[in-house]
Amino acid sequence: MELNPLNDLYFMKEALKEAQKAFDLNEVPVGCVIVCENKIISRSHNQTHRLNDATAHAEVIAITAASGYLGSKYLSDCTMYVTLEPCIMCAGAAYWAQFKKIVFGARDLNRGYLSLPKSILHPKTEVVRNILSNQSTKLLHDFFKNKR
């Protein structure tokens, strides 16, 4: 049996590269990649300060790019990898995109969608948690430590 190197760990490492870009640009370090058929079709990081746009979260930018790439508002054959649990806004966008799967690293106990009493993701969306969560959490911790 051949081992597939393109797995959740591989793609989450790519999302972490995006988070590092955000960190280096003094943005909250969240990164996202969207994958379809083992190919990254979009990647982004938070850009709220650079774009002066409160909605310029990594997930929203990546969803827009992936939809443009596929020519479809539905991403039902795609997986979104994001370093931080999506906030309620991003989870809502993911609902409308109808992802096959969402994989995230660190939990967001303050603003994450899991804080809601009922999931707002599409019922067919599979969720995988805590992939490279320590690395994601460390990047966020280091960012906010430098802000204090």
Side-chain angles (χ1 to χ4, degrees):
M1 184 170 137
E2 188 175 326
L3 182 64
N4 181 3
L6 302 178
N7 58 22
D8 289 347
L9 194 59
Y10 172 84
F11 291 118
M12 187 58 80
K13 286 178 183 176
E14 292 298 309
L16 273 168
K17 289 178 186 177
E18 289 297 315
Q20 184 64 52
K21 288 179 188 177
F23 183 94
D24 294 343
L25 295 168
N26 204 29
E27 296 274 1
V28 176
V30 177
C32 180
V33 297
I34 296 178
V35 174
C36 188
E37 297 177 358
N38 277 335
K39 178 182 178 185
I40 296 174
I41 61 170
S42 71
R43 56 174 62 236
S44 190
H45 51 273
N46 276 3
Q47 298 180 46
T48 59
H49 295 300
R50 186 174 83 76
L51 298 176
N52 200 28
D53 179 356
T55 68
H57 290 198
E59 301 96 321
V60 172
I61 295 168
I63 289 169
T64 299
S67 294
Y69 179 86
L70 294 176
S72 174
K73 65 182 178 179
Y74 298 115
L75 303 174
S76 53
D77 291 328
C78 299
T79 299
M80 177 169 65
Y81 294 87
V82 61
T83 58
L84 182 64
E85 172 188 344
C87 71
I88 295 166
M89 174 185 71
C90 293
Y95 169 86
W96 292 110
Q98 299 182 7
F99 282 97
K100 172 178 70 176
K101 182 172 154 183
I102 296 174
V103 179
F104 69 84
R107 283 286 315 271
D108 183 347
L109 299 175
N110 296 320
R111 293 177 188 84
Y113 82 94
L114 288 173
S115 65
L116 297 174
K118 182 180 175 194
S119 177
I120 59 173
L121 295 178
H122 194 275
K124 292 183 180 177
T125 300
E126 174 190 353
V127 176
V128 177
R129 306 178 194 181
N130 301 320
I131 302 294
L132 297 180
S133 61
N134 290 341
Q135 294 89 329
S136 298
T137 300
K138 182 179 180 341
L139 197 57
L140 287 159
H141 175 71
D142 290 350
F143 177 80
F144 288 110
K145 181 179 168 186
N146 292 336
K147 293 289 181 192
R148 292 185 188 115

